[in-house]
Amino acid sequence: MFVKRREPEEADIDITAFMNLMIVLVPVLLMSMVFNHISILELNLPDLTGSQTASAEENRQLEVVVRESAIEVYYPSGNLVKTIDRVEATDDGKEAHHDFRALSDVLQEIKRRLAAKNIAKKDALLLSEPGVTYQSLVSTMDTLRSAKTVVVAEAVDVELFPDISLGDAPTKKGGKS
């Protein structure tokens, strides 16, 4: 009549499968995570007083006008240096975009001419039409700021015109803005 009762054993929890899952899942989630990169662009407003000691050549304004159809480079203000037409969409899937490589080449040539005259110009005026995309403006600012060149078999950034002022583009003569 005496039945021997068994004492209940404590159950062990087997968490090895869960640990294996975490070891695989954590790196996969970290690799697929998108990290946001926020950069701040410092813009300088033009000086209202104007410096009287600067030469007439240094006071000339470099203007880059970004339109939906093209980018126009003026130096000095009002004298068109080059119009860089927008590259249209191609059959291989590339969308229409501005040709920033050609813009960089034009800006580098202007910088070379100024350096030959011993003029250290760092400011530029960026004018845009209302319909220009934000990405086009940022890419134009990046192109204005610096250019990649090869020096002794190494690619380096060369400063072009880092002091950028923003403004509205004048309406295009001959109708459409």
Side-chain angles (χ1 to χ4, degrees):
M1 297 272 283
F2 290 104
V3 179
K4 195 173 186 185
R5 281 191 181 176
R6 284 189 180 168
E7 287 187 23
E9 293 181 18
E10 288 187 29
D12 289 334
I13 298 175
D14 187 17
I15 61 168
T16 54
F18 180 73
M19 292 300 292
N20 288 338
L21 177 69
M22 289 298 118
I23 288 172
V24 172
L25 189 61
V26 168
V28 168
L29 289 176
L30 285 175
M31 286 189 302
S32 66
M33 203 164 111
V34 176
F35 294 100
N36 289 334
H37 177 71
I38 298 174
S39 61
I40 298 172
L41 301 176
E42 184 177 326
L43 299 176
N44 298 321
L45 297 175
D47 188 15
L48 293 177
T49 60
S51 66
Q52 302 297 332
T53 59
S55 71
E57 185 71 24
E58 289 176 348
N59 283 335
R60 292 184 175 179
Q61 186 65 46
L62 170 66
E63 293 180 356
V64 177
V65 180
V66 181
R67 301 190 187 277
E68 288 185 53
S69 60
I71 296 177
E72 300 167 352
V73 180
Y74 294 91
Y75 185 78
S77 181
N79 294 335
L80 180 65
V81 175
K82 182 148 184 158
T83 299
I84 303 164
D85 292 325
R86 186 176 173 101
V87 177
E88 295 303 320
T90 59
D91 294 334
D92 60 351
K94 289 190 177 182
E95 296 180 16
H97 61 282
H98 289 98
D99 190 359
F100 296 110
R101 185 172 292 150
L103 175 62
S104 180
D105 292 342
V106 170
L107 294 172
Q108 288 178 49
E109 180 59 32
I110 291 172
K111 190 70 170 184
R112 268 189 234 110
R113 288 182 191 169
L114 292 171
K117 296 177 184 178
N118 291 327
I119 299 172
K121 184 163 190 58
K122 292 187 172 192
D123 63 317
L125 183 58
L126 178 61
L127 306 172
S128 67
E129 282 185 332
V132 175
T133 63
Y134 177 76
Q135 184 59 46
S136 294
L137 279 177
V138 171
S139 297
T140 305
M141 285 181 183
D142 291 341
T143 305
L144 269 168
R145 214 175 270 109
S146 64
K148 290 209 179 290
T149 59
V150 178
V151 176
V152 192
E154 187 176 326
V156 295
D157 282 334
V158 175
E159 181 181 83
L160 293 176
F161 304 98
D163 298 337
I164 301 170
S165 300
L166 295 175
D168 290 334
T171 56
K172 204 170 193 178
K173 293 173 185 144
K176 196 178 177 183
S177 61

